[in-house]
Amino acid sequence: MKILILFFMTLSWSTYGQKSIDELMAGYNFKAPFISAKSLYKVQTTSVVLDAREKQEYQVSKIENALHIGYKNFDLNELRDLISDKNTTLIVYCSVGVRSGKIAEQLIAYGYTSVYNLYGGIFDWVNKGYPVYDDNKKTTEKVHVFSKKWGVYLSKGKKVYE
């Protein structure tokens, strides 16, 4: 009987246990420094915010005035044409901070001097109560979570999978 109870407890922990964004991000060692949602909220009007998610994610919601740069088809030369001043403060985000961390590293390697990765990405941004906007520049509760695997990190807002 004890073995059966232990089995069900283990099954429920592994099935329903939710990793935190902190636990997820602890597995990565990015060269770009992180910026918190709170800090970004204070400086977003004086920085260039870059969205490193795919187009379908960006179209659901985004941080206000964020420029879409994508991940799979990110083109450093296109960005260089848009932002030629390498001292411009760039803040990159994605869903949780993994893709944006990799893009931020490319920007640093290219010579941009003030590059930050949004800690916890748009999920942490929304979880902390900051607004996101749809394509009509209206606030929305919707956030593209890509899959149920990644959706566990979004605790607020309305999850969109398609």
Side-chain angles (χ1 to χ4, degrees):
M1 182 68 168
K2 286 182 182 179
I3 294 173
L4 188 58
I5 291 171
L6 184 59
F7 170 75
F8 283 113
M9 288 175 63
T10 304
L11 178 65
S12 65
W13 286 331
S14 65
T15 304
Y16 299 106
Q18 180 175 344
K19 284 177 64 175
S20 71
I21 289 175
D22 290 339
E23 290 172 312
L24 174 71
M25 295 311 291
Y28 294 92
N29 186 19
F30 295 113
K31 293 177 183 165
F34 286 113
I35 186 170
S36 69
K38 182 178 182 179
S39 295
L40 172 56
Y41 188 74
K42 292 177 183 177
V43 301
Q44 75 185 85
T45 58
T46 59
S47 306
V48 176
V49 181
L50 304 171
D51 190 318
R53 299 174 302 152
E54 297 307 321
K55 193 70 167 180
Q56 69 271 21
E57 295 169 272
Y58 176 80
Q59 289 172 330
V60 171
S61 63
K62 61 199 74 49
I63 295 174
E64 189 172 25
N65 298 319
L67 300 175
H68 179 258
I69 59 169
Y71 179 73
K72 288 181 186 172
N73 296 316
F74 171 65
D75 186 335
L76 188 57
N77 291 321
E78 283 182 23
L79 184 66
R80 183 196 64 217
D81 292 343
L82 284 173
I83 305 166
S84 59
D85 181 357
K86 290 187 177 180
N87 295 314
T88 301
T89 299
L90 304 175
I91 301 170
V92 190
Y93 75 91
C94 63
S95 296
V96 294
V98 176
R99 292 176 287 179
S100 55
K102 292 174 183 178
I103 296 289
E105 287 179 340
Q106 289 181 48
L107 296 171
I108 291 169
Y110 183 71
Y112 286 97
T113 61
S114 184
V115 179
Y116 299 89
N117 184 12
L118 177 60
Y119 185 85
I122 197 169
F123 290 3
D124 193 54
W125 176 266
V126 171
N127 290 344
K128 297 250 168 75
Y130 295 106
V132 290
Y133 297 84
D134 63 19
D135 278 343
N136 296 318
K137 299 187 179 188
K138 295 189 186 284
T139 58
T140 183
E141 297 293 316
K142 295 179 181 179
V143 180
H144 195 293
V145 293
F146 197 73
S147 70
K148 289 187 180 198
K149 173 186 173 185
W150 293 106
V152 300
Y153 298 104
L154 182 71
S155 59
K156 292 186 179 178
K158 294 180 183 173
K159 298 175 183 179
V160 174
Y161 293 94
E162 297 178 19

